[in-house]
């Protein structure tokens, strides 16, 4: 078994299988931000990424992808159902997002969560060289830091939660709350998107485990676990480069033409998830049409909603409700050749998505709760022309940084309607000033800055990062 000095552990591997025209299957790096951010570092280490390759059955043996070793962890049908769809996405996901849907609890799901976390910990223990740096990602793997420390006390272990970490009153509902906290506290550094999340975690360490804790440090046995906020970001430069490509600009112009050259385009891009506030947004838009504040010929809404976690009942029900409402709104307010909403459920490549961002006069990002929301940051990075108004939910992590956005409370229907109108009618000079400030922020706080700040906090002695030249 080849061992690495840097190991990333995440539910999914950063690869897609691409089938060539001759039927040959080839694994390629998928375009996610985390992979792009870590890639130079991973390649120099050389590092290993431990994760699930999708599907069920035996773990495929995968070739290195762009110099990074892929170590796949298998999931059975039962694991997929009880761990991924069950405990991760039907218990933790809704609970961590303010319980906007009812979290479901089953003892069998907890057993699967433990079993799969143990498998990930064992796989990581095998591929980490002595003293290696291990970075565990997200809510699917909260027990891994503790399990891994028991197997390999020599490792330096980081954990980062991409989703919100809830206030104590919600977290306390979890039947296995103590075990989940202890699992995360197996890390040397626990990172969150927002300072409030670190505060919630510290409060819970005191309340549930009676540990001495501040918002920066928690004493566990004979160790100190550091905690803090490290807001994740995007590859700003790559997005800006895409946005300035002539073919992307031409595609944006074509899209505007195909939309009927409306006065204004509102865009929303979400995974089809009940946390994203899609239904509330549709209701606000439909009422604006009914009130006559917005007219179909002047304004169009493009709603991209790519299906997600499709075997989970709450996601199936949401999709049905959204599609019924889109049909109703188009039936009631559309005209022949002029729908009120352009509704798309397809995945798009980066260039097409960037062209859509460039066409959007108003980008409506109004989740009920979101760890960060990278779409909001992508839109800002794509507006190299400093035009475009970002309507952003106060409940997205991004709102803590993008304070110049037009901020709304998506639970307040009147406020949401007013927010849409304000963004649609905003003075172009005001729009430009806000966009410029947000672009400047993202220029300084891109994904590389995020990875560097997290890893240098984890690697206190800076030995690995210095060796990799990552501090340059
Ligand atoms: P989440 O992590 O909850 O899905 P984010 O907004 O943080 O939400 O990230 C979503 C990511 O998925 C963004 O990088 C966005 O560009 C991408 N994405 C969303 N919809 C599509 C789509 N239809 N096609 C391709 N990429 C998409
Ligand atoms: O942002 C949370 C998250 O679970 C990410 O880890 C993941 O990339 C994204 O949502 C999509 O979810 P899934 O991996 O369940 O398709």
């Amino acid at each position: 078994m080849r061992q690495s000095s840097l190991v990333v552990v995440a539910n999914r591997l950063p690869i897609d299988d691409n089938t060539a025209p001759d039927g040959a299957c080839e694994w390629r790096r998928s375009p996610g931000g985390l992979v792009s951010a870590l890639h130079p570092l991973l390649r120099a280490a050389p590092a290993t990424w431990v994760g699930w390759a999708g599907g069920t059955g035996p773990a495929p043996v995968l070739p290195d992808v762009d110099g990074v070793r892929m170590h796949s962890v298998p999931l059975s049908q039962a694991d997929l159902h009880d761990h991924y769809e069950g405990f991760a996405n039907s218990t933790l996901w809704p609970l961590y997002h303010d319980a906007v849907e009812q979290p479901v609890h089953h003892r069998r799901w907890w057993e699967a969560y433990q079993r799969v976390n143990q498998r990930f910990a064992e796989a990581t223990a095998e591929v980490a060289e002595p003293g290696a740096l291990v970075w565990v990602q997200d809510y699917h793997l909260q027990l891994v830091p503790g399990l891994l420390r028991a197997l390999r006390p020599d490792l330096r272990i980081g954990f980062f939660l991409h989703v919100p970490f809830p206030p104590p009153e919600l977290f306390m509902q979890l039947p296995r709350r103590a075990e989940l906290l202890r699992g995360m506290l197996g890390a040397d550094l626990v990172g969150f998107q927002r300072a409030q999340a670190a505060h919630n975690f510290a409060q819970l360490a005191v309340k549930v485990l009676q540990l001495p804790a501040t918002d920066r440090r928690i004493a566990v046995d004979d160790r100190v676990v550091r905690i803090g906020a490290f807001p994740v970001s995007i590859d700003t430069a790559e997005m800006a480069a895409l946005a300035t490509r002539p073919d992307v600009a031409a595609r944006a112009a074509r899209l505007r033409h195909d939309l009927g050259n409306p006065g204004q385009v509102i865009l929303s891009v979400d995974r089809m998830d009940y946390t994203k506030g899609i239904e509330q947004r549709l209701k606000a838009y439909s009422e604006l049409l009914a009130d006559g504040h917005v007219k179909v010929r002047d304004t169009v809404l493009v709603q991209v909603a790519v299906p997600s976690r499709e075997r989970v009942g709450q996601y199936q029900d949401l999709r049905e409700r959204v599609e019924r409402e889109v049909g109703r709104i188009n039936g009631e307010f559309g005209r022949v050749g002029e729908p009120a909403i352009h509704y798309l459920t397809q995945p798009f490549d980066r260039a097409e998505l960037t062209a859509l961002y460039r066409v959007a006069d108003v980008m409506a990002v109004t989740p009920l709760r979101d760890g960060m929301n990278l779409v909001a940051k992508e839109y800002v990075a794509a507006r190299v022309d400093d035009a475009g108004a970002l309507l952003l939910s106060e409940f997205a992590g991004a709102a803590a940084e993008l304070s110049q956005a037009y901020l709304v409370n998506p639970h307040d229907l009147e406020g949401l309607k007013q927010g849409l109108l304000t963004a649609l009618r905003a003075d172009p000079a005001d729009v430009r000033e806000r966009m410029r400030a947000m672009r400047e922020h993202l220029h300084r706080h891109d994904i590389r800055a995020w990875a560097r700040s997290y890893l240098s906090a984890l690697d206190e002695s800076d030995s690995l990062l210095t060796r990799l030249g990552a501090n340059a």
Side-chain angles (χ1 to χ4, degrees), residues 165-239:
F165 190 78
E169 12 343 330
L170 275 177
F171 190 85
M172 291 301 282
Q173 290 179 14
L174 280 169
R176 310 313 287 256
R177 58 204 184 191
E179 286 95 326
L180 283 162
L181 291 174
R182 262 191 231 108
M184 291 164 82
L185 286 167
D188 295 291
L189 175 66
V190 181
F192 299 94
Q193 302 278 25
R194 298 182 77 155
Q196 180 63 46
H199 176 69
N200 293 345
F201 185 67
Q203 279 192 309
L204 280 159
V206 175
K207 194 176 166 80
V208 177
L209 303 176
Q210 290 81 47
L211 294 172
T214 69
D215 289 4
R216 301 174 68 103
R217 279 157 206 277
I218 302 175
V220 188
D221 307 327
D222 53 351
R223 300 182 300 120
V224 170
V225 178
R226 285 169 304 130
I227 63 177
F230 299 84
V232 74
S233 194
I234 57 160
D235 192 337
T236 314
E238 186 190 57
M239 181 54 78

Side-chain angles (χ1 to χ4, degrees), residues 93 269-271 276 304 306 346-348 350 353 357 370 373-375 378:
W93 179 270
V269 176
D270 308 282
R271 257 185 322 102
K276 302 289 180 184
V304 179
V306 73
Q346 305 137 47
F348 294 113
R350 304 303 291 166
L353 210 53
Y357 291 147
D370 212 326
N373 197 292
L374 297 179
V375 165
E378 289 169 1

